[in-house]
Amino acid sequence: MTGHIQVASVPLRNEPDGEELNYPYLFEEIDRLGYGGFVGCEYIPRGRTLDGVDWFRSFARS
């Protein structure tokens, strides 16, 4: 059982919104598989910290 998933971009460890992985697909697969645990982010923002969380808006649920 997986209790925690941690993400960052590959290879630069910036916001998980590009580079080598397709994050929209990855997050859809996590949902499709019924994962109910936490998804954490440990990345180095490209710019200001608050600007660095904008990538998440498209994935947030109301």
Side-chain angles (χ1 to χ4, degrees), residues 9-12 17-23:
S9 69
V10 175
L12 297 179
D17 61 358
E19 295 189 4
E20 294 185 12
L21 294 177
N22 180 339
Y23 284 96

Side-chain angles (χ1 to χ4, degrees), residues 3-31:
H4 179 87
I5 296 172
Q6 191 163 317
V7 298
S9 69
V10 175
L12 297 179
R13 298 199 49 79
N14 296 122
E15 293 86 345
D17 61 358
E19 295 189 4
E20 294 185 12
L21 294 177
N22 180 339
Y23 284 96
Y25 173 79
L26 178 65
F27 293 139
E28 286 173 16
E29 280 297 291
I30 290 169
D31 285 344

Side-chain angles (χ1 to χ4, degrees), residues 6-17 19 41-53 55:
Q6 191 163 317
V7 298
S9 69
V10 175
L12 297 179
R13 298 199 49 79
N14 296 122
E15 293 86 345
D17 61 358
E19 295 189 4
C41 300
E42 183 178 348
Y43 60 87
I44 303 162
R46 289 182 199 93
R48 295 179 338 133
T49 301
L50 290 179
D51 295 337
V53 295
W55 68 270

